[in-house]
Amino acid sequence: FKDGSAPDTSAAGVRALVAARTHLAASEVTDVLWSSDFRPRAALADRFRDGRIFLAGDAAHVHSPAGGQGLNTSVQDAYNLGWKLGQVLRHDAPAALLDTYEQERRPVAAEMLGLSTRIHRGEAGRGAATRQLGLGYREGPLSTGAAGALRAGDRAPDGPLPDGTTLFDTLRGPHFTLLVVGTDAELPPLDPELVRVRELDAYAPYGKGVFLVRPDGYVGWAGDDARGLAEWLRGVGASVARYA
């Protein structure tokens, strides 16, 4: 309890609590078969990587069950780390790419841990933040540039496509996606297995520009044209030079 007193888990204590917090009378609680004192645990690892060891999900952060932020954050950890491991192990990306996992994910986990704790204590309510659709990495080490309505680090917006599919359908998978929106910018040579290109008419959630979307659905690089794109791709193991 907030006053520091220990909860009364006896049958009488449970009846009194139910009567105080619900529309039921104490006498309507006829049997108490089992009761316990639940105390949530909140914890955040000091670091998410130590050499070849990586922490993700509940190994990295433990949340109150209020709202499900712990599960959502854990799934995001896994995807963030997964695509980076794939690039290093299969596509010769610099090993330093793995350091960006902690740099991007630990601040997100810390923020969600604080939010879920406040919700559990009744100090905050559920809202847009608990849905986690506004999370991003604008200040992260892999975010470069801006164009149209977006900055690198933003979550890539969805939208309908003329063939009846959606942008999220295009993004789905372990590949990078280069969206060329409302421009005829000249592109560097790209490996189609690693980077899939989709040209679109100008679209309000994006505006106009060139947007490189990471496998986890976040804009990694953005620009009015493609200058600087090749350098960014080399840094994540999607080098264009060897495919030219």
Side-chain angles (χ1 to χ4, degrees):
F1 292 105
K2 290 184 177 180
D3 62 5
S5 62
D8 182 359
T9 57
S10 67
V14 172
R15 291 188 176 97
L17 183 63
V18 169
R21 300 293 181 87
T22 76
H23 64 286
L24 298 175
S27 59
E28 294 182 77
V29 182
T30 57
D31 294 295
V32 179
L33 301 180
W34 179 82
S35 63
S36 68
D37 174 16
F38 170 74
R39 296 177 183 272
R41 181 169 180 265
L44 179 68
D46 291 335
R47 57 188 184 276
F48 285 12
R49 180 189 185 187
D50 187 353
R52 293 169 60 86
I53 300 171
F54 295 86
L55 300 181
D58 288 350
H61 42 83
V62 181
H63 301 245
S64 159
Q69 288 78 33
L71 173 60
N72 292 343
T73 304
S74 299
V75 172
Q76 293 162 12
D77 286 349
Y79 212 145
N80 185 291
L81 178 59
W83 77 260
K84 294 170 182 176
L85 283 171
Q87 290 302 114
V88 171
L89 295 175
R90 298 184 60 191
H91 302 294
D92 300 322
L97 178 63
L98 299 177
D99 292 331
T100 69
Y101 164 63
E102 177 181 314
Q103 293 167 350
E104 289 187 336
R105 293 304 304 165
R106 193 176 184 278
V108 171
E111 182 178 351
M112 283 297 109
L113 183 59
L115 176 61
S116 61
T117 300
R118 292 193 299 274
I119 292 174
H120 184 89
R121 293 173 176 170
E123 299 169 355
R126 293 184 55 82
T130 58
R131 292 190 288 273
Q132 298 184 289
L133 298 179
L135 296 180
Y137 308 116
R138 283 189 172 187
E139 306 305 321
L142 295 181
S143 300
T144 302
L150 298 177
R151 284 177 54 188
D154 291 345
R155 180 173 178 267
D158 196 11
L161 297 175
D163 60 5
T165 63
T166 69
L167 280 171
F168 279 1
D169 292 325
T170 299
L171 302 180
R172 185 177 296 116
H175 56 275
F176 294 86
T177 305
L178 187 64
L179 300 177
V180 184
V181 186
T183 178
D184 57 357
E186 183 177 352
L187 305 179
L190 302 168
D191 176 7
E193 293 300 317
L194 291 178
V195 183
R196 299 184 186 178
V197 180
R198 187 73 188 244
E199 297 183 357
L200 308 170
D201 294 333
Y203 178 54
Y206 286 83
K208 295 182 179 181
V210 181
F211 306 89
L212 194 285
V213 183
R214 306 171 358 169
D216 57 358
Y218 290 87
V219 178
W221 181 95
D224 295 326
D225 53 43
R227 288 177 293 180
L229 173 61
E231 181 180 357
W232 191 94
L233 287 170
R234 280 191 289 271
V236 296
S239 174
V240 297
R242 57 181 170 173
Y243 306 112

mmCIF file of all heavy atoms in Angstrom, residues 126-179:
data_model
loop_
_atom_site.group_PDB
_atom_site.id
_atom_site.type_symbol
_atom_site.label_atom_id
_atom_site.label_comp_id
_atom_site.label_asym_id
_atom_site.label_seq_id
_atom_site.Cartn_x
_atom_site.Cartn_y
_atom_site.Cartn_z
ATOM 1 N N ARG A 126 -3.196 5.220 -19.281
ATOM 2 C CA ARG A 126 -2.845 4.693 -20.590
ATOM 3 C C ARG A 126 -3.184 5.733 -21.650
ATOM 4 O O ARG A 126 -4.133 6.484 -21.535
ATOM 5 C CB ARG A 126 -3.610 3.406 -20.874
ATOM 6 C CG ARG A 126 -3.195 2.257 -19.972
ATOM 7 C CD ARG A 126 -3.915 0.968 -20.347
ATOM 8 N NE ARG A 126 -3.701 0.650 -21.756
ATOM 9 C CZ ARG A 126 -2.627 0.043 -22.230
ATOM 10 N NH1 ARG A 126 -1.649 -0.300 -21.399
ATOM 11 N NH2 ARG A 126 -2.502 -0.223 -23.517
ATOM 12 N N GLY A 127 -2.373 5.769 -22.710
ATOM 13 C CA GLY A 127 -2.577 6.730 -23.787
ATOM 14 C C GLY A 127 -1.701 6.385 -24.959
ATOM 15 O O GLY A 127 -1.289 5.238 -25.138
ATOM 16 N N ALA A 128 -1.384 7.385 -25.776
ATOM 17 C CA ALA A 128 -0.593 7.156 -26.983
ATOM 18 C C ALA A 128 0.771 6.551 -26.663
ATOM 19 O O ALA A 128 1.266 5.701 -27.400
ATOM 20 C CB ALA A 128 -0.422 8.467 -27.748
ATOM 21 N N ALA A 129 1.376 6.961 -25.547
ATOM 22 C CA ALA A 129 2.711 6.468 -25.216
ATOM 23 C C ALA A 129 2.716 4.963 -24.976
ATOM 24 O O ALA A 129 3.685 4.268 -25.307
ATOM 25 C CB ALA A 129 3.258 7.192 -23.995
ATOM 26 N N THR A 130 1.629 4.437 -24.408
ATOM 27 C CA THR A 130 1.593 3.008 -24.119
ATOM 28 C C THR A 130 1.446 2.174 -25.389
ATOM 29 O O THR A 130 1.786 0.991 -25.395
ATOM 30 C CB THR A 130 0.439 2.671 -23.159
ATOM 31 O OG1 THR A 130 -0.805 3.083 -23.731
ATOM 32 C CG2 THR A 130 0.639 3.364 -21.829
ATOM 33 N N ARG A 131 0.956 2.769 -26.458
ATOM 34 C CA ARG A 131 0.859 2.027 -27.724
ATOM 35 C C ARG A 131 2.206 1.951 -28.434
ATOM 36 O O ARG A 131 2.381 1.149 -29.338
ATOM 37 C CB ARG A 131 -0.196 2.679 -28.621
ATOM 38 C CG ARG A 131 -1.612 2.517 -28.079
ATOM 39 C CD ARG A 131 -2.649 2.945 -29.099
ATOM 40 N NE ARG A 131 -2.697 4.372 -29.279
ATOM 41 C CZ ARG A 131 -3.422 5.209 -28.545
ATOM 42 N NH1 ARG A 131 -4.165 4.742 -27.547
ATOM 43 N NH2 ARG A 131 -3.420 6.515 -28.790
ATOM 44 N N GLN A 132 3.128 2.792 -28.077
ATOM 45 C CA GLN A 132 4.522 2.740 -28.526
ATOM 46 C C GLN A 132 4.693 2.960 -30.034
ATOM 47 O O GLN A 132 5.730 2.607 -30.591
ATOM 48 C CB GLN A 132 5.165 1.412 -28.116
ATOM 49 C CG GLN A 132 5.212 1.223 -26.606
ATOM 50 C CD GLN A 132 5.921 -0.037 -26.194
ATOM 51 O OE1 GLN A 132 5.420 -1.128 -26.388
ATOM 52 N NE2 GLN A 132 7.094 0.110 -25.612
ATOM 53 N N LEU A 133 3.716 3.554 -30.675
ATOM 54 C CA LEU A 133 3.835 3.800 -32.118
ATOM 55 C C LEU A 133 4.629 5.064 -32.425
ATOM 56 O O LEU A 133 5.002 5.293 -33.572
ATOM 57 C CB LEU A 133 2.438 3.899 -32.746
ATOM 58 C CG LEU A 133 1.581 2.633 -32.639
ATOM 59 C CD1 LEU A 133 0.217 2.859 -33.282
ATOM 60 C CD2 LEU A 133 2.284 1.443 -33.274
ATOM 61 N N GLY A 134 4.882 5.883 -31.413
ATOM 62 C CA GLY A 134 5.640 7.110 -31.632
ATOM 63 C C GLY A 134 7.115 6.984 -31.279
ATOM 64 O O GLY A 134 7.847 7.970 -31.338
ATOM 65 N N LEU A 135 7.553 5.774 -30.926
ATOM 66 C CA LEU A 135 8.964 5.594 -30.577
ATOM 67 C C LEU A 135 9.849 5.771 -31.799
ATOM 68 O O LEU A 135 9.445 5.463 -32.922
ATOM 69 C CB LEU A 135 9.186 4.193 -30.002
ATOM 70 C CG LEU A 135 8.478 3.872 -28.693
ATOM 71 C CD1 LEU A 135 8.790 2.450 -28.266
ATOM 72 C CD2 LEU A 135 8.883 4.851 -27.602
ATOM 73 N N GLY A 136 11.060 6.239 -31.578
ATOM 74 C CA GLY A 136 11.981 6.423 -32.694
ATOM 75 C C GLY A 136 13.408 6.577 -32.214
ATOM 76 O O GLY A 136 13.698 6.536 -31.008
ATOM 77 N N TYR A 137 14.306 6.764 -33.182
ATOM 78 C CA TYR A 137 15.737 6.837 -32.896
ATOM 79 C C TYR A 137 16.358 8.079 -33.537
ATOM 80 O O TYR A 137 17.465 8.024 -34.071
ATOM 81 C CB TYR A 137 16.437 5.592 -33.432
ATOM 82 C CG TYR A 137 15.826 4.283 -32.985
ATOM 83 C CD1 TYR A 137 15.251 3.412 -33.908
ATOM 84 C CD2 TYR A 137 15.827 3.908 -31.649
ATOM 85 C CE1 TYR A 137 14.702 2.205 -33.508
ATOM 86 C CE2 TYR A 137 15.280 2.713 -31.233
ATOM 87 C CZ TYR A 137 14.718 1.856 -32.171
ATOM 88 O OH TYR A 137 14.170 0.670 -31.772
ATOM 89 N N ARG A 138 15.677 9.196 -33.480
ATOM 90 C CA ARG A 138 16.196 10.403 -34.138
ATOM 91 C C ARG A 138 17.595 10.774 -33.668
ATOM 92 O O ARG A 138 18.396 11.272 -34.450
ATOM 93 C CB ARG A 138 15.240 11.582 -33.899
ATOM 94 C CG ARG A 138 13.986 11.545 -34.759
ATOM 95 C CD ARG A 138 13.210 12.842 -34.622
ATOM 96 N NE ARG A 138 12.098 12.914 -35.572
ATOM 97 C CZ ARG A 138 11.349 13.999 -35.755
ATOM 98 N NH1 ARG A 138 11.599 15.098 -35.046
ATOM 99 N NH2 ARG A 138 10.372 13.991 -36.636
ATOM 100 N N GLU A 139 17.883 10.556 -32.413
ATOM 101 C CA GLU A 139 19.192 10.903 -31.873
ATOM 102 C C GLU A 139 20.138 9.713 -31.880
ATOM 103 O O GLU A 139 21.229 9.782 -31.322
ATOM 104 C CB GLU A 139 19.037 11.445 -30.441
ATOM 105 C CG GLU A 139 18.053 12.595 -30.299
ATOM 106 C CD GLU A 139 18.374 13.758 -31.220
ATOM 107 O OE1 GLU A 139 19.575 14.059 -31.389
ATOM 108 O OE2 GLU A 139 17.431 14.350 -31.769
ATOM 109 N N GLY A 140 19.734 8.624 -32.495
ATOM 110 C CA GLY A 140 20.535 7.421 -32.484
ATOM 111 C C GLY A 140 21.706 7.469 -33.446
ATOM 112 O O GLY A 140 21.756 8.302 -34.364
ATOM 113 N N PRO A 141 22.664 6.560 -33.285
ATOM 114 C CA PRO A 141 23.885 6.580 -34.090
ATOM 115 C C PRO A 141 23.687 6.178 -35.548
ATOM 116 O O PRO A 141 24.579 6.411 -36.368
ATOM 117 C CB PRO A 141 24.789 5.570 -33.368
ATOM 118 C CG PRO A 141 23.829 4.636 -32.693
ATOM 119 C CD PRO A 141 22.680 5.489 -32.272
ATOM 120 N N LEU A 142 22.543 5.592 -35.884
ATOM 121 C CA LEU A 142 22.306 5.155 -37.262
ATOM 122 C C LEU A 142 21.371 6.088 -38.025
ATOM 123 O O LEU A 142 21.000 5.786 -39.164
ATOM 124 C CB LEU A 142 21.711 3.740 -37.281
ATOM 125 C CG LEU A 142 22.601 2.615 -36.746
ATOM 126 C CD1 LEU A 142 21.874 1.284 -36.849
ATOM 127 C CD2 LEU A 142 23.918 2.569 -37.504
ATOM 128 N N SER A 143 20.980 7.177 -37.432
ATOM 129 C CA SER A 143 19.993 8.078 -38.050
ATOM 130 C C SER A 143 20.698 9.243 -38.721
ATOM 131 O O SER A 143 21.360 10.043 -38.060
ATOM 132 C CB SER A 143 19.015 8.587 -36.984
ATOM 133 O OG SER A 143 18.331 7.499 -36.383
ATOM 134 N N THR A 144 20.524 9.331 -40.061
ATOM 135 C CA THR A 144 21.203 10.357 -40.842
ATOM 136 C C THR A 144 20.243 11.016 -41.809
ATOM 137 O O THR A 144 19.640 10.352 -42.651
ATOM 138 C CB THR A 144 22.378 9.752 -41.648
ATOM 139 O OG1 THR A 144 23.296 9.119 -40.752
ATOM 140 C CG2 THR A 144 23.096 10.823 -42.447
ATOM 141 N N GLY A 145 20.090 12.335 -41.693
ATOM 142 C CA GLY A 145 19.360 13.102 -42.691
ATOM 143 C C GLY A 145 17.889 13.302 -42.406
ATOM 144 O O GLY A 145 17.325 12.788 -41.439
ATOM 145 N N ALA A 146 17.262 14.055 -43.299
ATOM 146 C CA ALA A 146 15.839 14.361 -43.232
ATOM 147 C C ALA A 146 15.363 14.731 -44.625
ATOM 148 O O ALA A 146 16.139 15.205 -45.462
ATOM 149 C CB ALA A 146 15.567 15.495 -42.252
ATOM 150 N N ALA A 147 14.083 14.515 -44.869
ATOM 151 C CA ALA A 147 13.483 14.908 -46.146
ATOM 152 C C ALA A 147 11.973 14.922 -45.978
ATOM 153 O O ALA A 147 11.417 14.155 -45.185
ATOM 154 C CB ALA A 147 13.876 13.942 -47.268
ATOM 155 N N GLY A 148 11.328 15.796 -46.719
ATOM 156 C CA GLY A 148 9.879 15.843 -46.666
ATOM 157 C C GLY A 148 9.367 16.006 -45.249
ATOM 158 O O GLY A 148 9.778 16.903 -44.514
ATOM 159 N N ALA A 149 8.479 15.091 -44.851
ATOM 160 C CA ALA A 149 7.850 15.172 -43.533
ATOM 161 C C ALA A 149 8.569 14.362 -42.474
ATOM 162 O O ALA A 149 8.128 14.330 -41.325
ATOM 163 C CB ALA A 149 6.401 14.686 -43.639
ATOM 164 N N LEU A 150 9.673 13.695 -42.825
ATOM 165 C CA LEU A 150 10.299 12.759 -41.899
ATOM 166 C C LEU A 150 11.754 13.091 -41.636
ATOM 167 O O LEU A 150 12.431 13.698 -42.470
ATOM 168 C CB LEU A 150 10.216 11.335 -42.460
ATOM 169 C CG LEU A 150 8.824 10.754 -42.687
ATOM 170 C CD1 LEU A 150 8.936 9.367 -43.311
ATOM 171 C CD2 LEU A 150 8.026 10.693 -41.391
ATOM 172 N N ARG A 151 12.192 12.658 -40.464
ATOM 173 C CA ARG A 151 13.616 12.669 -40.130
ATOM 174 C C ARG A 151 14.078 11.243 -39.947
ATOM 175 O O ARG A 151 13.305 10.362 -39.544
ATOM 176 C CB ARG A 151 13.856 13.449 -38.834
ATOM 177 C CG ARG A 151 13.776 14.955 -38.978
ATOM 178 C CD ARG A 151 13.961 15.625 -37.633
ATOM 179 N NE ARG A 151 15.197 15.203 -36.957
ATOM 180 C CZ ARG A 151 15.501 15.537 -35.701
ATOM 181 N NH1 ARG A 151 14.662 16.291 -34.999
ATOM 182 N NH2 ARG A 151 16.638 15.125 -35.162
ATOM 183 N N ALA A 152 15.343 10.980 -40.234
ATOM 184 C CA ALA A 152 15.893 9.654 -39.976
ATOM 185 C C ALA A 152 15.714 9.325 -38.494
ATOM 186 O O ALA A 152 15.917 10.166 -37.626
ATOM 187 C CB ALA A 152 17.364 9.617 -40.358
ATOM 188 N N GLY A 153 15.315 8.106 -38.237
ATOM 189 C CA GLY A 153 14.991 7.681 -36.883
ATOM 190 C C GLY A 153 13.508 7.566 -36.647
ATOM 191 O O GLY A 153 13.078 6.915 -35.683
ATOM 192 N N ASP A 154 12.686 8.182 -37.514
ATOM 193 C CA ASP A 154 11.234 8.088 -37.385
ATOM 194 C C ASP A 154 10.746 6.702 -37.816
ATOM 195 O O ASP A 154 11.349 6.048 -38.677
ATOM 196 C CB ASP A 154 10.535 9.135 -38.250
ATOM 197 C CG ASP A 154 10.736 10.551 -37.749
ATOM 198 O OD1 ASP A 154 11.176 10.725 -36.592
ATOM 199 O OD2 ASP A 154 10.453 11.494 -38.513
ATOM 200 N N ARG A 155 9.652 6.281 -37.243
ATOM 201 C CA ARG A 155 8.995 5.055 -37.699
ATOM 202 C C ARG A 155 8.378 5.324 -39.069
ATOM 203 O O ARG A 155 7.676 6.311 -39.270
ATOM 204 C CB ARG A 155 7.919 4.657 -36.695
ATOM 205 C CG ARG A 155 7.145 3.386 -37.023
ATOM 206 C CD ARG A 155 6.242 3.046 -35.839
ATOM 207 N NE ARG A 155 5.430 1.856 -36.092
ATOM 208 C CZ ARG A 155 4.208 1.884 -36.582
ATOM 209 N NH1 ARG A 155 3.642 3.047 -36.891
ATOM 210 N NH2 ARG A 155 3.537 0.770 -36.776
ATOM 211 N N ALA A 156 8.647 4.450 -40.038
ATOM 212 C CA ALA A 156 8.142 4.652 -41.389
ATOM 213 C C ALA A 156 6.621 4.509 -41.411
ATOM 214 O O ALA A 156 6.093 3.491 -40.952
ATOM 215 C CB ALA A 156 8.769 3.641 -42.341
ATOM 216 N N PRO A 157 5.889 5.510 -41.930
ATOM 217 C CA PRO A 157 4.426 5.427 -41.957
ATOM 218 C C PRO A 157 3.929 4.404 -42.977
ATOM 219 O O PRO A 157 4.595 4.098 -43.962
ATOM 220 C CB PRO A 157 3.998 6.848 -42.362
ATOM 221 C CG PRO A 157 5.198 7.712 -42.145
ATOM 222 C CD PRO A 157 6.384 6.827 -42.368
ATOM 223 N N ASP A 158 2.742 3.891 -42.729
ATOM 224 C CA ASP A 158 2.077 2.988 -43.673
ATOM 225 C C ASP A 158 1.307 3.819 -44.690
ATOM 226 O O ASP A 158 1.222 5.049 -44.581
ATOM 227 C CB ASP A 158 1.124 2.063 -42.915
ATOM 228 C CG ASP A 158 0.688 0.863 -43.739
ATOM 229 O OD1 ASP A 158 1.272 0.625 -44.815
ATOM 230 O OD2 ASP A 158 -0.232 0.142 -43.290
ATOM 231 N N GLY A 159 0.730 3.165 -45.667
ATOM 232 C CA GLY A 159 -0.086 3.851 -46.663
ATOM 233 C C GLY A 159 -0.505 2.888 -47.758
ATOM 234 O O GLY A 159 0.151 1.864 -47.991
ATOM 235 N N PRO A 160 -1.615 3.176 -48.451
ATOM 236 C CA PRO A 160 -2.086 2.294 -49.520
ATOM 237 C C PRO A 160 -1.249 2.450 -50.783
ATOM 238 O O PRO A 160 -0.711 3.524 -51.065
ATOM 239 C CB PRO A 160 -3.522 2.769 -49.743
ATOM 240 C CG PRO A 160 -3.487 4.225 -49.366
ATOM 241 C CD PRO A 160 -2.505 4.328 -48.234
ATOM 242 N N LEU A 161 -1.144 1.376 -51.559
ATOM 243 C CA LEU A 161 -0.441 1.378 -52.831
ATOM 244 C C LEU A 161 -1.424 1.056 -53.959
ATOM 245 O O LEU A 161 -2.458 0.420 -53.724
ATOM 246 C CB LEU A 161 0.704 0.366 -52.812
ATOM 247 C CG LEU A 161 1.825 0.641 -51.800
ATOM 248 C CD1 LEU A 161 2.831 -0.496 -51.790
ATOM 249 C CD2 LEU A 161 2.505 1.969 -52.099
ATOM 250 N N PRO A 162 -1.131 1.501 -55.187
ATOM 251 C CA PRO A 162 -2.068 1.304 -56.304
ATOM 252 C C PRO A 162 -2.420 -0.154 -56.575
ATOM 253 O O PRO A 162 -3.501 -0.445 -57.098
ATOM 254 C CB PRO A 162 -1.311 1.915 -57.496
ATOM 255 C CG PRO A 162 -0.383 2.908 -56.891
ATOM 256 C CD PRO A 162 0.032 2.310 -55.589
ATOM 257 N N ASP A 163 -1.540 -1.093 -56.231
ATOM 258 C CA ASP A 163 -1.817 -2.506 -56.517
ATOM 259 C C ASP A 163 -2.646 -3.186 -55.441
ATOM 260 O O ASP A 163 -2.829 -4.405 -55.456
ATOM 261 C CB ASP A 163 -0.503 -3.262 -56.722
ATOM 262 C CG ASP A 163 0.403 -3.216 -55.487
ATOM 263 O OD1 ASP A 163 -0.021 -2.680 -54.445
ATOM 264 O OD2 ASP A 163 1.538 -3.715 -55.584
ATOM 265 N N GLY A 164 -3.165 -2.413 -54.489
ATOM 266 C CA GLY A 164 -4.015 -2.964 -53.453
ATOM 267 C C GLY A 164 -3.266 -3.404 -52.203
ATOM 268 O O GLY A 164 -3.894 -3.779 -51.205
ATOM 269 N N THR A 165 -1.941 -3.363 -52.234
ATOM 270 C CA THR A 165 -1.157 -3.677 -51.046
ATOM 271 C C THR A 165 -0.886 -2.388 -50.272
ATOM 272 O O THR A 165 -1.412 -1.320 -50.611
ATOM 273 C CB THR A 165 0.172 -4.353 -51.432
ATOM 274 O OG1 THR A 165 0.964 -3.442 -52.223
ATOM 275 C CG2 THR A 165 -0.089 -5.614 -52.244
ATOM 276 N N THR A 166 -0.064 -2.489 -49.253
ATOM 277 C CA THR A 166 0.281 -1.319 -48.448
ATOM 278 C C THR A 166 1.797 -1.191 -48.345
ATOM 279 O O THR A 166 2.547 -2.130 -48.670
ATOM 280 C CB THR A 166 -0.298 -1.419 -47.030
ATOM 281 O OG1 THR A 166 0.393 -2.462 -46.321
ATOM 282 C CG2 THR A 166 -1.792 -1.721 -47.059
ATOM 283 N N LEU A 167 2.248 -0.049 -47.870
ATOM 284 C CA LEU A 167 3.681 0.143 -47.665
ATOM 285 C C LEU A 167 4.232 -0.868 -46.655
ATOM 286 O O LEU A 167 5.352 -1.359 -46.805
ATOM 287 C CB LEU A 167 3.959 1.563 -47.197
ATOM 288 C CG LEU A 167 3.976 2.633 -48.287
ATOM 289 C CD1 LEU A 167 4.041 4.023 -47.670
ATOM 290 C CD2 LEU A 167 5.152 2.417 -49.223
ATOM 291 N N PHE A 168 3.449 -1.189 -45.645
ATOM 292 C CA PHE A 168 3.918 -2.169 -44.674
ATOM 293 C C PHE A 168 4.128 -3.535 -45.321
ATOM 294 O O PHE A 168 5.012 -4.294 -44.905
ATOM 295 C CB PHE A 168 2.945 -2.274 -43.506
ATOM 296 C CG PHE A 168 3.112 -1.182 -42.462
ATOM 297 C CD1 PHE A 168 4.070 -0.194 -42.611
ATOM 298 C CD2 PHE A 168 2.305 -1.151 -41.345
ATOM 299 C CE1 PHE A 168 4.230 0.815 -41.661
ATOM 300 C CE2 PHE A 168 2.451 -0.159 -40.377
ATOM 301 C CZ PHE A 168 3.422 0.819 -40.535
ATOM 302 N N ASP A 169 3.316 -3.874 -46.319
ATOM 303 C CA ASP A 169 3.555 -5.113 -47.064
ATOM 304 C C ASP A 169 4.912 -5.059 -47.759
ATOM 305 O O ASP A 169 5.650 -6.049 -47.799
ATOM 306 C CB ASP A 169 2.457 -5.336 -48.111
ATOM 307 C CG ASP A 169 1.108 -5.638 -47.491
ATOM 308 O OD1 ASP A 169 1.071 -6.302 -46.437
ATOM 309 O OD2 ASP A 169 0.081 -5.203 -48.060
ATOM 310 N N THR A 170 5.243 -3.911 -48.303
ATOM 311 C CA THR A 170 6.529 -3.736 -48.993
ATOM 312 C C THR A 170 7.698 -3.837 -48.022
ATOM 313 O O THR A 170 8.760 -4.392 -48.350
ATOM 314 C CB THR A 170 6.561 -2.367 -49.701
ATOM 315 O OG1 THR A 170 5.509 -2.322 -50.670
ATOM 316 C CG2 THR A 170 7.890 -2.128 -50.393
ATOM 317 N N LEU A 171 7.515 -3.319 -46.818
ATOM 318 C CA LEU A 171 8.603 -3.296 -45.843
ATOM 319 C C LEU A 171 8.819 -4.647 -45.175
ATOM 320 O O LEU A 171 9.909 -4.909 -44.659
ATOM 321 C CB LEU A 171 8.305 -2.255 -44.757
ATOM 322 C CG LEU A 171 8.097 -0.805 -45.195
ATOM 323 C CD1 LEU A 171 7.816 0.072 -43.978
ATOM 324 C CD2 LEU A 171 9.288 -0.282 -45.972
ATOM 325 N N ARG A 172 7.805 -5.506 -45.191
ATOM 326 C CA ARG A 172 7.878 -6.744 -44.421
ATOM 327 C C ARG A 172 9.003 -7.644 -44.912
ATOM 328 O O ARG A 172 9.100 -7.964 -46.086
ATOM 329 C CB ARG A 172 6.544 -7.491 -44.507
ATOM 330 C CG ARG A 172 6.477 -8.735 -43.629
ATOM 331 C CD ARG A 172 5.122 -9.406 -43.689
ATOM 332 N NE ARG A 172 4.096 -8.525 -43.139
ATOM 333 C CZ ARG A 172 3.083 -8.022 -43.843
ATOM 334 N NH1 ARG A 172 2.975 -8.306 -45.139
ATOM 335 N NH2 ARG A 172 2.191 -7.241 -43.273
ATOM 336 N N GLY A 173 9.882 -8.047 -43.984
ATOM 337 C CA GLY A 173 10.973 -8.941 -44.334
ATOM 338 C C GLY A 173 12.302 -8.436 -43.804
ATOM 339 O O GLY A 173 12.391 -7.344 -43.215
ATOM 340 N N PRO A 174 13.378 -9.196 -44.003
ATOM 341 C CA PRO A 174 14.689 -8.822 -43.457
ATOM 342 C C PRO A 174 15.473 -7.850 -44.318
ATOM 343 O O PRO A 174 16.607 -7.506 -43.981
ATOM 344 C CB PRO A 174 15.412 -10.172 -43.389
ATOM 345 C CG PRO A 174 14.837 -10.935 -44.541
ATOM 346 C CD PRO A 174 13.391 -10.536 -44.625
ATOM 347 N N HIS A 175 14.884 -7.363 -45.405
ATOM 348 C CA HIS A 175 15.596 -6.488 -46.329
ATOM 349 C C HIS A 175 15.461 -5.019 -45.928
ATOM 350 O O HIS A 175 14.612 -4.649 -45.126
ATOM 351 C CB HIS A 175 15.034 -6.652 -47.745
ATOM 352 C CG HIS A 175 13.558 -6.399 -47.803
ATOM 353 N ND1 HIS A 175 12.621 -7.385 -47.523
ATOM 354 C CD2 HIS A 175 12.832 -5.283 -48.085
ATOM 355 C CE1 HIS A 175 11.396 -6.872 -47.640
ATOM 356 N NE2 HIS A 175 11.503 -5.601 -47.970
ATOM 357 N N PHE A 176 16.316 -4.168 -46.509
ATOM 358 C CA PHE A 176 16.143 -2.724 -46.458
ATOM 359 C C PHE A 176 15.207 -2.328 -47.603
ATOM 360 O O PHE A 176 15.153 -3.003 -48.638
ATOM 361 C CB PHE A 176 17.478 -2.001 -46.628
ATOM 362 C CG PHE A 176 18.439 -2.224 -45.506
ATOM 363 C CD1 PHE A 176 19.285 -3.326 -45.494
ATOM 364 C CD2 PHE A 176 18.522 -1.329 -44.444
ATOM 365 C CE1 PHE A 176 20.181 -3.544 -44.466
ATOM 366 C CE2 PHE A 176 19.410 -1.525 -43.405
ATOM 367 C CZ PHE A 176 20.250 -2.641 -43.417
ATOM 368 N N THR A 177 14.487 -1.242 -47.426
ATOM 369 C CA THR A 177 13.586 -0.757 -48.470
ATOM 370 C C THR A 177 13.906 0.700 -48.763
ATOM 371 O O THR A 177 13.928 1.527 -47.844
ATOM 372 C CB THR A 177 12.111 -0.871 -48.042
ATOM 373 O OG1 THR A 177 11.827 -2.217 -47.660
ATOM 374 C CG2 THR A 177 11.189 -0.472 -49.187
ATOM 375 N N LEU A 178 14.157 0.992 -50.021
ATOM 376 C CA LEU A 178 14.424 2.365 -50.432
ATOM 377 C C LEU A 178 13.169 2.917 -51.090
ATOM 378 O O LEU A 178 12.746 2.451 -52.148
ATOM 379 C CB LEU A 178 15.599 2.422 -51.408
ATOM 380 C CG LEU A 178 16.073 3.832 -51.778
ATOM 381 C CD1 LEU A 178 16.619 4.562 -50.555
ATOM 382 C CD2 LEU A 178 17.119 3.778 -52.885
ATOM 383 N N LEU A 179 12.552 3.895 -50.438
ATOM 384 C CA LEU A 179 11.352 4.533 -50.964
ATOM 385 C C LEU A 179 11.752 5.829 -51.660
ATOM 386 O O LEU A 179 12.312 6.728 -51.021
ATOM 387 C CB LEU A 179 10.356 4.811 -49.833
ATOM 388 C CG LEU A 179 9.862 3.585 -49.053
ATOM 389 C CD1 LEU A 179 8.933 4.008 -47.919
ATOM 390 C CD2 LEU A 179 9.152 2.598 -49.970
#
